[in-house]
Amino acid sequence: MVSQRGLEVLRAIVQDYVSSREPVGSKAIVDRHQFGVSAATIRNDMALLEEEELIVAPHTSSGRVPTDKGYRLFVDHLAEVKHISTAQKQAIDHFLDESVDFDELLGRTVRLLSQLTNQVAIVQYPTLGATRVRHIELVSLGNLRALCIVITDNGRVEQRLLDLETDLTEADLSELRSTINAQVAGKLLTELAESVVSLSTSVSPHLSSATSHIASALSDSIQANRQQKLVMAGTANLVRTEEDFHGSIYPVLDAIEEQVILLKLLTEMKADAHEVAVSIGREHSNSGLEQTSLLATGYTSAGESATLGLLGPTRMDYSNNIASIRAVARYLTRVLDTQ
């Protein structure tokens, strides 16, 4: 069993190692922290922590660094989750509010989170489930082409290029636009293609072909969005912390590029009391990410849940990162709820 002082020594080792990237010795702990005991006493505490496999010596006659088990104990019981500053809150609010559509909002979200944490930020697109159609717009591009734009109730915008057999006049577009929106506005996105197919008998005969093209484009769009997608930012941050990875960093980069692995890990993680799930090192073995930590929390869009994540080396500022991902997820949900 580890004593209370031993746990505080572990906290000091984690914090100092995260800050300095240097193994932490007993003398450094005595100098930097107010334990009120000798370096010899701290060495005894560290020996007990090492027996419990919470810390390890990276090489002979060095200080100690946390193990995956040590980081886990720190995250579960010792980490003091910070509160983001008022300036950070205002920056998040302003940056996300400037988004013009759903895709840009998610792109801004991961860029912002990456900048706040210096880690790789990941956001999962929500499934279509409860998403409803707000409006469908049709724009003629000339030369037998038109643009079909679907706007959903969560601000998502889908665009599909249509190749037509005849050019559409403004009157044709107006008829198609009015008829389609009367039929599908407010319906679930998953019901959209089927609803449009039945419209071919509700428009002028010369527009039935265009209606079929629109139905096909909408069907393709829905099928594409059924597949789970991720948006990422900040991969370059991994290269900047390459010293934290033993051997090559390429397995980590390969695993990130293989989005199926990340999706599986994110969906399997369960949030803790801080509303954030944390998977550390070998806890997600056989993934190529054994030298990383993955943080995840949820956000909602039109009643559908999806995941916001952070990926970085196990030597990361867990307190700051947990606070940041939680705050950004809450703001993202709020922005989506007000659209």
Side-chain angles (χ1 to χ4, degrees):
M1 295 293 291
V2 180
S3 67
Q4 184 59 43
R5 190 180 62 232
L7 293 176
E8 293 302 319
V9 170
L10 175 62
R11 187 206 303 267
I13 291 171
V14 171
Q15 292 174 338
D16 287 0
Y17 180 60
V18 167
S19 174
S20 69
R21 196 186 273 119
E22 294 293 332
V24 182
S26 57
K27 185 177 185 305
I29 293 175
V30 170
D31 290 343
R32 295 174 189 161
H33 303 273
Q34 305 300 316
F35 280 98
V37 296
S38 68
T41 301
I42 297 297
R43 278 196 297 274
N44 289 334
D45 291 328
M46 292 175 69
L48 292 173
L49 292 173
E50 196 163 8
E51 286 181 10
E52 295 290 333
E53 300 180 341
L54 297 169
I55 60 175
V56 67
H59 43 77
T60 306
S61 301
S62 71
R64 301 298 186 263
V65 301
T67 62
D68 291 351
K69 184 179 176 181
Y71 282 126
R72 168 52 61 197
L73 183 58
F74 174 81
V75 169
D76 288 347
H77 301 291
L78 304 176
E80 298 174 350
V81 177
K82 303 172 184 175
H83 294 286
I84 62 172
S85 67
T86 301
Q88 286 176 314
K89 290 178 182 179
Q90 292 173 344
I92 294 171
D93 198 6
H94 179 71
F95 192 68
L96 296 187
D97 274 342
E98 286 187 339
S99 305
V100 298
D101 60 36
F102 188 80
D103 292 320
E104 185 185 355
L105 175 60
L106 294 192
R108 280 176 169 263
T109 297
V110 288
R111 292 199 304 275
L112 172 65
L113 185 56
S114 175
Q115 290 166 7
L116 288 172
T117 62
N118 294 315
Q119 310 294 341
V120 181
I122 309 156
V123 66
Q124 175 191 20
Y125 269 74
T127 57
L128 297 178
T131 305
R132 295 184 179 274
V133 180
R134 179 183 293 172
H135 182 73
I136 291 181
E137 186 59 59
L138 297 170
V139 180
S140 175
L141 302 178
N143 298 319
L144 303 180
R145 306 187 100 182
L147 189 65
C148 179
I149 305 169
V150 181
I151 304 170
T152 66
D153 59 353
N154 62 4
R156 196 166 181 169
V157 177
E158 295 287 339
Q159 301 184 45
R160 289 280 161 168
L161 195 61
L162 306 177
D163 291 312
L164 307 172
E165 296 172 10
T166 59
D167 271 331
L168 298 176
T169 66
E170 188 53 46
D172 293 335
L173 287 171
S174 179
E175 180 180 344
L176 281 170
R177 192 182 298 118
S178 297
T179 306
I180 291 173
N181 279 296
Q183 177 69 20
V184 305
K187 287 200 171 182
L188 292 171
L189 199 58
T190 50
E191 303 170 342
L192 188 54
E194 183 180 348
S195 300
V196 174
V197 168
S198 64
L199 287 173
S200 57
T201 57
S202 304
V203 296
S204 302
H206 73 285
L207 296 178
S208 59
S209 174
T211 305
S212 296
H213 284 292
I214 293 170
S216 177
L218 293 174
S219 179
D220 290 344
S221 177
I222 291 166
Q223 191 58 40
N225 281 286
R226 284 185 188 279
Q227 302 175 10
Q228 292 183 309
K229 295 192 298 183
L230 296 177
V231 180
M232 288 183 280
T235 304
N237 288 323
L238 287 176
V239 180
R240 297 188 186 102
T241 58
E242 191 169 0
E243 297 173 45
D244 290 312
F245 298 95
H246 308 298
S248 174
I249 195 176
Y250 290 109
V252 178
L253 297 175
D254 288 342
I256 290 175
E257 192 160 334
E258 187 63 50
Q259 293 194 359
V260 174
I261 295 173
L262 280 175
L263 275 167
K264 182 175 183 296
L265 290 173
L266 289 169
T267 54
E268 289 176 349
M269 293 170 67
K270 304 298 181 185
D272 61 11
H274 300 303
E275 305 170 21
V276 178
V278 182
S279 182
I280 300 171
R282 292 182 179 85
E283 292 177 357
H284 42 257
S285 59
N286 302 319
S287 65
L289 298 170
E290 291 83 0
Q291 296 188 66
T292 68
S293 286
L294 184 63
L295 281 62
T297 192
Y299 75 95
T300 58
S301 170
E304 292 297 313
S305 297
T307 303
L308 184 64
L310 273 178
L311 179 77
T314 54
R315 188 196 68 85
M316 66 161 62
D317 186 346
Y318 291 95
S319 297
N320 175 71
N321 291 350
I322 289 171
S324 296
I325 191 174
R326 186 174 61 182
V328 172
R330 288 174 176 174
Y331 275 89
L332 177 58
T333 296
R334 198 204 70 190
V335 171
L336 289 169
D337 283 347
T338 58
Q339 287 186 343

